[in-house]
Amino acid sequence: MRSDSVKTGAQQAPHRSLFNALGYTEEERKRPMIGIVSSYNEIVPGHMNLDKIVEAVKLGVAMAGGMPVVFPAIAVCDGIAMGHIGMKYSLVTRDLIADSTECMALAHGFDGLVMVPNCDKNVPGLLMAAARLNIPAIFCSGGPMLAGRVKGEKRSLSSMFEAVGSVAAGTMSMEELCEFEEKVCPTCGSCSGMYTANSMNCLTEALGMGLKGNGTIPAVYSERIRLAKHAGMKIMELVEKDIKPRDIMTEKAFLNALRMDMALGCSTNSMLHLPAIAHEAGVELDLEVANKLSADTPNLCHLAPAGPTYMEDLNEAGGIYAVMNELSKKGLLYTDLMTVTGKTVGENIKGCINKNPEVIRPLENPYSETGGIAVLKGNLAPDSCVVKRSAVVPQMMVHEGPARVFDCEEDAIEAIKGGKIVEGDVVVIRYEGPKGGPGMREMLNPTSAIAGMGLGASVALITDGRFSGASRGASIGHVSPEAAVGGPIALVEEGDIISINIPENTINMKVPEEELEKRREKWQPREPKVTTGYLSRYRELVTSGNRGAILEIPHK
C-alpha cells in the first residue's frame, strides 16, 4: 500500500505515534488510507451540505474496509464574488485547490482519494489534482439546488441577475425584485441551471470519474447521501484493482466529455477547464477539435439560462447517462472506456432511457444539429474565443455593429445601465483576461444588465474575460490573445465595425490591416492592476484562455 510509507516498519514508529494522537487504532492503520477532500464551508450555498456528504463517504469507506481521513479544500462562491474585486479571486483558486490537494495527498501517503466538491472552480481544481497525482480517485459532488418558483414559474440565479437589469430599465419594481431575491435560491446546492458548477459535475460523470447521478441528483435528496456511501465503497474497489485517474481520463474520454458538452449546452467555462484538466492528464486538448465535434453532435438540452428546464428536470429525465445513451445511438461516443464504476461507458449507459423528450430531445428532434458551444476565430481573436451557441437567439447568430469599447467591467456596466448602449451595438470589454484582470473575471453583471434591459436580442458582448454559465445571449469570451499581451482586442477603437458569424465560426473587425499595423505600433503595455500577493504571482505564470489559462513557468 502507498500508505505503508507512513504506517509500516520500525522507521515509521514516530508516524504511528502521531496517528495514535489522532485517535486512530492499530486495526484502522492496517487498512488502506483514503483521503476525503472536503470542500465544505459556510459561504458557498453549494457547499453547506457537504459535511453530510463527507460523513456518508466516510461511512462508505469504513463499511468497505478502509480508513477514511478528511482534509479540506477551499472554494469561492462565484455569485457572492461577482461584480467586485472578489471575482478576480475565482478562477485563480482552481490552481490553488489542485496544488494544495497535491501537497496533502503526497505528504501523507494516501492510498486513494474521494473528492467532494460542488462549485465552479473546485470541481475542475480537484479533477486537475486527480489527474496530476494519478492515485485511485472518485468524485462525489454535493448536487444541484432545486429551482425557485416566482409567480408559479421556475426561476434560478440567472433570473435574479437579470431582474436587477429590469429594475434599471424601469420594467420591474423593487417589490418584485425583493420577491425574486426571496425565492430564486430556495435550497442548498449548486445553482439550478446548466451553469459552470453543474456543467463540470455533469462532465465529471461523462469523463467517467463520478458515479451515475453525480451531476444531477439534487443536493437535498436523500439519494445524494446514498450516492456518497456508494462512492466511499467504490474507492476501495478502485484501490484494490489499482484503477487510476489516467486510466480513465484518456484522450478519448475527453472527446466524450466535449461531445457531452455540446449535447448538454454547458457553460463556456468548460472550454477553460477541460483543456486544463487534460493537460494534467498528459493530454493536449486543442480547442480546434471542439468545432469538429460540434459539427455532428446535436444539441439535445436547453437548461437554464438557455431554456425553461432545470437540473432537477434533467435528473428526472434520466440524467447524464440518458443523454450519453442518446448520443451512443449515433455512434458519437467511445463506449469501451474504463470508468470509476469498474465498468465501461457502454456497460454504464446500457438501458438508460430518455424519460422526457421535452427535457432531453431525442436524436431525431434536437434543438440544433450542431453542438451548444462554438469556437470562433478571426482577426479579432486569432487564437480563438468561445460562445454558448445554444443560449444565443437566432437573430444574433450573425451580427454586425459598432464597437463600444471599455477597458474594465465597471465602465461597461455603468454605460449599459445608463442607457448609453443601443440596439446593434457590440460591447467590447478588455484588459479583463487571465493576465490583464488579473484573474479573468466573469461578466454576468453586464450580460444580465443587457438581457434585463431588453437588449439581449440586439446587442453582443465580447471580452477577453469570461462569462458565468448563467449568462445568455451573444456573449463571446476568452478572446485570445488577450489585450494585456497586445492581442488585437487591444487595438479596437470606438465605432469599429465588428462582424460576428457564429454558424461560420468567425469574428472580425472590419478595419484594414494597414490601419491595424499603425495601431499596433502605437500600443503600449499597461501597468499591472495588481502588483502584490497571489494575483501578482498568478499574473506572471498564467497562459491565455485558449490554453485553459493553465500556469506555466515563463521561459527566461
Side-chain angles (χ1 to χ4, degrees):
M1 292 190 295
R2 293 175 179 83
S3 60
D4 286 345
S5 62
V6 297
K7 294 191 306 187
T8 304
Q11 190 69 27
Q12 279 67 40
H15 306 66
R16 289 194 296 276
S17 72
L18 294 170
F19 279 110
N20 287 337
L22 288 163
Y24 291 109
T25 65
E26 182 180 357
E27 291 82 359
E28 287 174 296
R29 291 200 308 269
K30 290 178 180 178
R31 300 175 173 188
M33 187 167 66
I34 306 300
I36 302 172
V37 189
S38 172
S39 298
Y40 169 76
N41 63 47
E42 295 182 345
I43 191 63
V44 184
H47 293 204
M48 63 181 285
N49 66 320
L50 294 190
D51 55 342
K52 295 179 176 61
I53 301 295
V54 166
E55 286 302 314
V57 171
K58 285 178 68 176
L59 185 56
V61 170
M63 287 166 61
M67 174 184 168
V69 181
V70 179
F71 64 88
I74 65 167
V76 165
C77 177
D78 276 24
I80 295 174
M82 193 70 66
H84 58 96
I85 191 174
M87 184 44 67
K88 294 179 184 289
Y89 287 92
S90 173
L91 179 62
V92 302
T93 64
R94 187 185 69 181
D95 298 276
L96 280 176
I97 291 162
D99 292 349
S100 61
T101 302
E102 174 194 353
C103 293
M104 289 295 289
L106 294 182
H108 300 104
F110 289 104
D111 297 297
L113 298 170
V114 182
M115 310 295 199
V116 186
N118 209 32
C119 289
D120 297 44
K121 305 310 159 308
N122 70 320
V123 178
L126 289 178
L127 282 165
M128 289 166 66
R132 185 188 302 175
L133 290 162
N134 203 33
I135 63 176
I138 189 170
F139 279 67
C140 182
S141 75
M145 185 183 290
L146 294 179
R149 283 172 173 77
V150 181
K151 293 181 172 61
E153 293 185 11
K154 286 185 177 181
R155 298 289 188 176
S156 62
L157 187 64
S158 55
S159 308
M160 186 72 251
F161 278 90
E162 290 179 15
V164 174
S166 297
V167 170
T171 57
M172 179 180 286
S173 69
M174 283 300 297
E175 290 75 16
E176 290 173 306
L177 181 69
C178 288
E179 184 178 7
F180 271 74
E181 184 180 329
E182 290 292 328
K183 295 180 177 178
V184 297
C185 295
T187 72
C188 63
S190 47
C191 298
S192 55
M194 188 56 81
Y195 311 145
T196 305
N198 290 325
S199 293
M200 293 312 302
N201 282 322
C202 290
L203 294 180
T204 297
E205 201 174 327
L207 274 170
M209 290 299 293
L211 299 178
K212 180 183 180 183
N214 178 73
T216 60
I217 298 170
V220 294
Y221 283 14
S222 297
E223 186 182 358
R224 177 65 60 175
I225 300 295
R226 299 198 299 272
L227 178 75
K229 291 176 182 176
H230 283 129
M233 290 185 267
K234 186 59 69 173
I235 188 61
M236 297 305 297
E237 180 183 328
L238 295 173
V239 169
E240 180 185 354
K241 295 179 178 178
D242 200 28
I243 297 174
K244 299 185 289 292
R246 292 194 188 188
D247 300 326
I248 295 168
M249 289 193 282
T250 62
E251 181 177 6
K252 289 181 178 179
F254 283 102
L255 295 179
N256 276 357
L258 274 174
R259 290 271 193 200
M260 284 295 291
D261 198 336
M262 299 299 171
L264 291 166
C266 290
S267 163
T268 50
N269 281 314
S270 62
M271 294 290 103
L272 281 175
H273 299 322
L274 286 176
I277 299 160
H279 178 75
E280 296 289 355
V283 175
E284 293 307 313
L285 195 63
D286 190 336
L287 289 186
E288 288 289 310
V289 76
N291 285 338
K292 294 176 183 177
L293 296 180
S294 178
D296 62 355
T297 305
N299 178 222
L300 304 180
C301 299
H302 264 196
L303 283 81
T309 54
Y310 295 81
M311 294 305 296
E312 63 199 66
D313 303 312
L314 180 57
N315 187 62
E316 294 301 318
I320 299 309
Y321 280 13
V323 181
M324 295 180 79
N325 197 33
E326 283 289 338
L327 293 186
S328 71
K329 294 174 184 176
K330 197 177 176 182
L332 295 177
L333 295 179
Y334 296 102
T335 56
D336 58 345
L337 308 181
M338 179 54 61
T339 71
V340 291
T341 66
K343 299 177 181 178
T344 65
V345 169
E347 290 172 318
N348 288 342
I349 66 177
K350 185 178 180 181
C352 294
I353 62 170
N354 178 1
K355 300 175 183 177
N356 189 339
E358 296 302 312
V359 177
I360 304 171
R361 290 277 186 93
L363 284 177
E364 57 271 17
N365 183 34
Y367 282 102
S368 68
E369 295 290 345
T370 53
I373 289 180
V375 176
L376 315 183
K377 279 191 172 185
N379 70 355
L380 184 56
D383 289 342
S384 74
C385 55
V386 298
V387 61
K388 188 171 183 175
R389 174 165 43 193
S390 59
V392 179
V393 294
Q395 58 266 43
M396 289 298 290
M397 297 295 279
V398 178
H399 180 75
E400 275 194 12
R404 305 299 309 280
V405 184
F406 304 94
D407 288 349
C408 67
E409 177 187 7
E410 288 82 0
D411 290 350
I413 293 171
E414 183 180 349
I416 295 164
K417 291 185 175 179
K420 296 178 181 178
I421 303 301
V422 300
E423 291 186 10
D425 283 348
V426 178
V427 176
V428 177
I429 305 178
R430 61 192 181 188
Y431 295 100
E432 291 284 9
K435 287 183 180 291
M440 204 179 189
R441 287 195 286 181
E442 287 184 344
M443 304 290 166
L444 180 55
N445 277 347
T447 60
S448 298
I450 287 169
M453 297 189 74
L455 297 171
S458 59
V459 169
L461 195 155
I462 298 170
T463 182
D464 53 7
R466 59 196 179 91
F467 295 108
S468 165
S471 292
R472 62 186 175 98
S475 303
I476 300 168
H478 311 185
V479 169
S480 301
E482 62 174 293
V485 298
I489 191 172
L491 309 180
V492 181
E493 294 183 359
E494 189 82 6
D496 286 349
I497 299 300
I498 306 294
S499 175
I500 302 162
N501 192 317
I502 296 173
E504 293 187 3
N505 305 117
T506 61
I507 182 166
N508 290 287
M509 49 178 159
K510 291 192 165 182
V511 178
E513 184 56 36
E514 303 79 38
E515 172 62 21
L516 290 178
E517 277 300 321
K518 291 178 183 176
R519 295 180 189 180
R520 196 171 285 116
E521 289 172 7
K522 294 178 182 177
W523 180 82
Q524 294 291 326
R526 302 202 169 194
E527 288 296 316
K529 296 177 185 176
V530 179
T531 58
T532 60
Y534 179 61
L535 286 181
S536 178
R537 298 197 302 275
Y538 181 87
R539 188 191 71 243
E540 293 298 318
L541 299 177
V542 71
T543 61
S544 63
N546 70 300
R547 296 187 59 199
I550 60 172
L551 301 188
E552 197 170 68
I553 297 172
H555 295 296
K556 297 294 185 183

